[in-house]
Amino acid sequence: STTIVTGIIYFFIEHSQAYTDAETLQDAIHLSLLQVTQAGGFAPVTYGGKLLVLSWGMVVLIIISSYTANLAAFLVADNGSNSEYDSIYDVIGAGATVCVHTGYATQDLLDENYPEIMQYDTTDEYGNFYHGKCSALVTERAQYDVAKESSDIYPSCNFERVGDALDSTGGGWAIKGDYSAKCSSLLSQLLTQYFLQLDLDGTLSDLYDDYLDSWTDKSCDSSSDTSDNDDGSDEDALGIKEMTGVFVIHALTTLFALFIHFGFG
């Protein structure tokens, strides 16, 4: 809704200019959507329009920064808080061996960024980790979350994540930038808008919890996990409450832009 309102206000500020990119209301709303997807944006002429676009650009930047579809790799150590490692560099310095799933993205990550680390390549990283074939393991977030609550994967349940996430990557769909024939760009913009909303209102988090429930047997007591924040993103992420201030500032800036336009235009 903020996207549409911003587009409407931009139209009222800019449409009367000789060289405007908002000849119609539909054009202005379309440009506002493009600003969200970073596939295009406004080209304001008036001072009020420039202030409005500056404010909206900052809002978009903050929203996109808070939107993550993470595939994070974690360093996992045994025996809870008794771990002798605080980061992957401690593992490298100690010359310890790390279990990693053969052929997975985590192995590619280690090969590319930590070639000096000693790897124990396996298709059963948790089993070999449990039986002492390695001192730590590198795994993906979803696999860690499932294993943490399932004794059939790691019987003793006494392992935890240590250090920061080694990597975090996004995901999406390849959609052709077509603005005329099939208008596939509109689909891209709508998907981005809806996924942002799903993230901000907590729906994606709820879906992830449902996914974990379907894959775990809850045989481990997750309340004993000393790293409940996973990769730290839940603690640092911007939720809908934290975003309220951003939208309030944008609303005030918008009113000021209208004041500049109608008061001095």
Side-chain angles (χ1 to χ4, degrees), residues 21-32 42:
D21 57 350
E23 295 181 354
T24 66
L25 182 58
Q26 291 86 344
D27 288 337
I29 295 176
H30 181 242
L31 290 173
S32 186
F42 300 107

Side-chain angles (χ1 to χ4, degrees), residues 72-76 99 106 125-126 137-141 143-144:
F74 296 131
L75 177 68
V76 180
C99 282
T106 46
E125 64 270 40
Y126 284 95
L137 72 87
V138 173
T139 187
E140 297 171 356
R141 173 182 177 175
Q143 293 177 339
Y144 169 83

Side-chain angles (χ1 to χ4, degrees), residues 39-56:
F42 300 107
V45 176
T46 66
Y47 288 112
K50 291 178 180 179
L51 181 60
L52 175 66
V53 172
L54 175 63
S55 175
W56 179 233

Side-chain angles (χ1 to χ4, degrees), residues 141-150 153 211-212 215-216:
R141 173 182 177 175
Q143 293 177 339
Y144 169 83
D145 288 342
V146 170
K148 191 62 186 175
E149 298 186 14
S150 303
I153 298 178
Y211 160 79
L212 292 181
W215 281 95
T216 61

Side-chain angles (χ1 to χ4, degrees), residues 101-119:
H101 196 111
T102 303
Y104 274 28
T106 46
Q107 186 179 45
D108 295 336
L109 171 69
L110 293 182
D111 289 341
E112 181 177 350
N113 297 289
Y114 308 97
E116 68 275 27
I117 200 168
M118 296 176 61
Q119 297 184 30

Side-chain angles (χ1 to χ4, degrees), residues 9-48:
I9 295 175
Y10 181 81
F11 170 74
F12 282 114
I13 294 177
E14 292 287 328
H15 80 281
S16 61
Q17 301 302 309
Y19 301 99
T20 180
D21 57 350
E23 295 181 354
T24 66
L25 182 58
Q26 291 86 344
D27 288 337
I29 295 176
H30 181 242
L31 290 173
S32 186
L33 285 169
L34 287 180
Q35 187 91 16
V36 174
T37 63
Q38 303 294 294
F42 300 107
V45 176
T46 66
Y47 288 112

